[in-house]
Amino acid sequence: MLETFNVLRIDEPDFGCEGRPDGMAVKDNVLLKSNYTGEEMTVREKDARLYELDINEGDQVFLIDGEMRKIR
């Protein structure tokens, strides 16, 4: 059985007035809460991947080999 998580918060990095360095893949901090244990954990995920999978705050996800997947 796969453990499922609620996405509590997605924090995007703030690069300030300098902006994002060229060629750097932006990674967000994603705060997850286990639906099984209630424990919270933070994982880092590429911002583009979150958009690709349409993962937003309030969604339910699971992790397979460290990769996040949205529960449809």
Side-chain angles (χ1 to χ4, degrees):
M1 182 172 120
L2 293 173
E3 184 174 8
T4 60
F5 301 87
N6 285 325
V7 178
L8 298 180
R9 191 173 66 236
I10 299 173
D11 293 321
E12 297 177 353
D14 181 7
F15 295 105
C17 59
E18 292 93 28
R20 179 175 57 96
D22 291 338
M24 179 182 170
V26 176
K27 286 196 170 187
D28 300 338
N29 289 321
V30 182
L31 179 62
L32 303 175
K33 183 174 182 178
S34 169
N35 290 320
Y36 179 68
T37 66
E39 292 182 41
E40 294 181 2
M41 65 185 272
T42 301
V43 297
R44 294 189 41 84
E45 185 63 68
K46 290 181 182 175
D47 187 67
R49 180 94 171 128
L50 293 174
Y51 279 106
E52 176 186 321
L53 297 173
D54 190 31
I55 294 175
N56 300 288
E57 292 178 357
D59 287 341
Q60 290 200 17
V61 298
F62 56 93
L63 300 173
I64 295 180
D65 296 328
E67 290 193 20
M68 198 175 304
R69 307 278 189 203
K70 184 174 181 177
I71 298 174
R72 303 280 172 187

